[in-house]
């Protein structure tokens, strides 16, 4: 059997198996992996919204925002990689972009997360990771001339007071 023919047969078998996994309506069901990247971004947005809510202390909206921030920060703490960084999903290797987003989120969340254990230790490990990756120069190197990711990450860092606007 030639390599090409064998590859086509394997491909046909895999395609058949994949199509068999579809549901009755002809599509596949699944779920997204838990995401420290998305969680960090959401925490930052919630913190900005909570700050904008101002003096409405004790309102149901403020309490719901605080609760979401605390739960998000607890999730981030539970998904920090052993190297001090975070990956895009809970199974991903660390990368400088998500690490910076997590840093901004945890700094913004700090006023609301005093009861969580380990934030100082997590931030210390994170700062060491970021330095090993080259800090902002490492972020710029990762994306080159593409500012699609650098600009929003820098915006989150500026919102957290970690860099100047």
């Amino acid at each position: 059997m030639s390599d090409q023919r064998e590859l086509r047969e394997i491909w046909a078998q895999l395609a058949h198996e994949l199509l068999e996994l579809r549901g009755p309506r002809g599509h596949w069901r699944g779920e997204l992996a838990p995401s420290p990247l998305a969680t960090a971004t959401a925490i930052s947005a919630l913190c900005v919204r909570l700050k904008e809510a101002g003096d409405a202390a004790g309102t149901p909206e403020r309490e719901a925002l605080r609760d979401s921030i605390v739960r998000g920060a607890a999730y981030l703490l539970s998904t920090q990689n052993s190297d001090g960084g975070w990956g895009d999903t809970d199974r991903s290797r660390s990368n400088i972009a998500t690490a910076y987003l997590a840093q901004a989120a945890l700094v913004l969340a700090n006023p609301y997360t005093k009861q969580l254990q380990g934030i100082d230790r997590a931030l210390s490990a994170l700062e060491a990771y970021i330095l090993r990756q080259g800090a902002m120069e490492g972020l710029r190197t990762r994306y080159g001339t593409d500012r699609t990711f650098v600009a929003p990450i820098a915006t989150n860092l500026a919102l957290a007071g970690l860099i100047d606007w």
Side-chain angles (χ1 to χ4, degrees), residues 19-53:
L19 291 172
E20 289 295 312
L21 293 173
R22 292 181 300 177
R25 293 183 160 181
H27 64 274
W28 295 273
R29 293 194 49 110
E31 62 184 61
L32 296 173
S35 173
L37 183 148
T39 301
T41 303
I43 290 169
S44 294
L46 293 171
C47 288
V48 169
R49 175 64 188 118
L50 187 56
K51 186 176 180 182
E52 285 180 358

Side-chain angles (χ1 to χ4, degrees), residues 37 81 83 85-89 92-100 126 129 133 139 142-143 153:
L37 183 148
N81 291 331
D83 63 6
W86 274 269
D88 294 353
T89 73
S92 300
R93 290 188 318 222
S94 297
N95 67 72
I96 187 94
T98 302
Y100 266 134
L126 174 58
Y129 171 81
Q133 300 306 307
L139 181 67
R142 176 181 169 114
Y143 292 107
I153 292 166

Side-chain angles (χ1 to χ4, degrees), residues 96-131:
I96 187 94
T98 302
Y100 266 134
L101 289 171
Q103 182 185 38
L106 290 174
V107 168
L108 284 165
N110 186 51
Y112 316 110
T113 58
K114 303 259 190 245
Q115 74 273 28
L116 294 179
Q117 304 254 338
I119 288 183
D120 292 338
R121 187 173 55 254
L123 284 171
S124 180
L126 174 58
E127 288 171 19
Y129 171 81
I130 287 171
L131 288 175

